[in-house]
Every structure is written in C-alpha cells, then in structure tokens.
Amino acid sequence: MAAQSPVATRTDLGGPWELTWDGGPDEAPEAIRGAAIPARVPGQVHLDLMAAGLLADPDVGLGELAQPWVGRSAWTYRRHVAWSPAPGTRTDLVADGLDTVAEVVVNGTVVGHARDQHLRYRWRIDEMLRPGDNVVEVRFGSALDTALEHERAHGPLPSPYDEPYPHLRKAAANFGWDRARTTSRPGSGATSGSRRTSAGSGTSARSLASTWIGRPPRWPCTCTSTHPRGRG
C-alpha cells in the first residue's frame, strides 16, 4: 500500500496590512486617532507612520525626544485572509516573531499571546476560521509599560542604564543606548511588533500566517496547508 506523506501549503500574509492606534498618551496626534493607516508586514509602527506622513524621522535632529508616545501606545495590525476548509487537514497560525507584548485575534477570538521577542509561536485556529473572508489581528501593548509594571511588582534588576529592559524578553538596545536612540516601537524595539506570520494546513499541520510586526521590514506572512499524498 502506498505510504501517505503530508503536503504543506503555505500562504504568505506579508504585504499590505492596516494599522490603528488603540490608545496611549495624550501627546498622540489627533491625525492618528481613529485613522486606518496603511502598513506593511514585515514592518514596524515607526516606519508605517513615517510612510504615511504622520511621524518625523526620529534620526533627524532631536526628533526622538518628541516621539515617546509611540512606544507608550497600543497598536493593532489587521488584515483580511481568504480561507477554504479542506477535509483531513488542520490550520495553524504561525508567528516567527512578535515584538514584544501582543495578543493575536482571529475573527474576534483570542488565539494566543506573546511576551518574548525571541520566540516563534504557533496556534491551531481551525475552530476560529470560516469559509471565505477572515480577519487576523495582532494587538500590541506597550513593551516599556509592561517592563515598568514588572519592575514595580518585583523590584529592580541589575542594569547599567535607567531603562527597565531586564524585565522583558526584548533586545536591550531597543530601550536606547549610549550610541542609539530610544524608540519603544510596536513591532520591534522597545515597543512591540511582529516579524513573520504564516498560515498553513495539512494532516499534520496547516499554517495560516507568519508575521513580524515591530522592527524594520523583516517579516513575511505565510499560510500553509498539508494534504495527504500517495508515494510509491
């Protein structure tokens, strides 16, 4: 009898997404409140705001000093995904990197959380999907505020700098350095973000999406499906 081997189908979810501001400091400009901002994945909030003409380059002059509200805000990346069920398969949502504190939602249902910039995440989402159009959201909280909250609850940890970076699994340089700016960025940096998201399906696994939201464009998004295939 011919052996069965799973065949994975992967759908790349990289490309155009939508970015929205979900709350934060009063300094946040009126122009971003309630706005649907075009975004790219892989990517990060600072780059998307700059591309939309809503943020000055933090590397120019003292631009960084006028932008701490970005890293203290909550942000959501959102996109629509077409999906068709296939008998005998499963569908997983795979995030190759989320920077850093994030909640992942499919069609209004929370499927998972992230709190580590350095991990890859996978969630099975068959029960949340429906034939046709589906909505995937990655909701980022402020990494800086999360780190400060942990420091208040558990006390300070040894650090040569004032920022609370030891309290979060995130690149320390994202909180600023003697030679680098502080941009707690959603998607990556001392903010939040996502690297790569993919989706597929198969007898063993079906990935729906992979995404990197946070650092400069580095995350493709994919979807994978696996189906039985006979082999002689």
Side-chain angles (χ1 to χ4, degrees), residues 44-180:
Q44 63 135 304
V45 168
H46 280 76
L47 295 180
D48 293 325
L49 293 177
M50 290 168 61
L54 298 171
L55 191 72
D57 190 336
D59 287 331
V60 176
L62 299 177
E64 168 194 350
L65 300 180
Q67 301 176 8
W69 63 269
V70 179
R72 306 299 292 265
S73 295
W75 302 89
T76 292
Y77 278 82
R78 180 184 297 103
R79 70 158 291 166
H80 291 259
V81 180
W83 178 81
S84 299
T89 68
R90 57 174 281 177
T91 300
D92 292 344
L93 181 65
V94 181
D96 288 340
L98 294 171
D99 183 1
T100 298
V101 180
E103 178 179 76
V104 180
V105 180
V106 176
N107 293 330
T109 299
V110 177
V111 300
H113 296 84
R115 287 182 64 89
D116 191 325
Q117 175 188 6
H118 310 292
L119 294 182
R120 188 172 192 251
Y121 297 91
R122 178 185 291 269
W123 300 282
R124 184 167 183 173
I125 57 173
D126 304 78
E127 295 182 357
M128 297 80 174
L129 293 172
R130 55 195 176 219
D133 184 61
N134 296 267
V135 179
V136 177
E137 296 178 313
V138 183
R139 302 171 180 173
F140 289 103
S142 168
L144 179 56
D145 287 347
T146 300
L148 289 170
E149 181 181 347
H150 189 275
E151 182 180 56
R152 286 192 294 269
H154 302 281
L157 293 172
S159 169
Y161 297 104
D162 296 333
E163 301 292 343
Y165 68 84
H167 292 266
L168 199 64
R169 288 287 295 160
K170 179 176 186 58
N174 294 159
F175 291 86
W177 211 349
D178 52 4
R179 59 175 176 81

